[in-house]
Amino acid sequence: MRTYRKELWFEIPTRRAFVNITDTLQKCVDESGIKEGLLLCNAMHITASVFINDDEPGLHKDFEIWLEKLAPEKPYSQYHHNVGEDNADAHLKRTIMGREVVIAITNGKLDLGPWEQVFYGEFDGKRKKRVLVKIIGE
């Protein structure tokens, strides 16, 4: 069995954003030379997420609205965590959207469904953050 590891770095200029990383992950698979296996991709920060869904702007806006209803950014004082910080909502949003994805690799390609794309979700941006890509297989 072979392994491959790479860190992707993001510095999102806004507090929240969704970035399609599907092509970047396929490039990692290509670099790895692994034809059959599994790819793990996880956010290495507790206010960011990696998830799979459709790349449709209306859906992304729906996520924004829905997440803000579930865990509104303001008022900051509503959260016990926000003592000297203002990102409690980002921790909650990350929990809802998830930490990682695992994707099968078949014939050297990400084995995704017809509309599935992989996204980095940022909920407390304006600083550098990492995403781990780990691939195992043959």
Side-chain angles (χ1 to χ4, degrees), residues 115-131:
W115 301 107
E116 290 184 328
Q117 298 285 296
V118 186
F119 294 90
Y120 170 74
E122 177 61 75
F123 306 112
D124 187 29
K126 304 181 183 179
R127 57 194 165 106
K128 289 183 82 168
K129 293 186 184 176
R130 295 176 297 160
V131 168

Side-chain angles (χ1 to χ4, degrees), residues 2-4 28-29 32 34 38-39 105 133-137:
R2 297 188 335 221
T3 66
Y4 170 94
C28 290
V29 172
S32 77
I34 293 172
L38 295 172
L39 178 146
I105 299 167
V133 178
K134 182 76 173 189
I135 302 172
I136 59 171

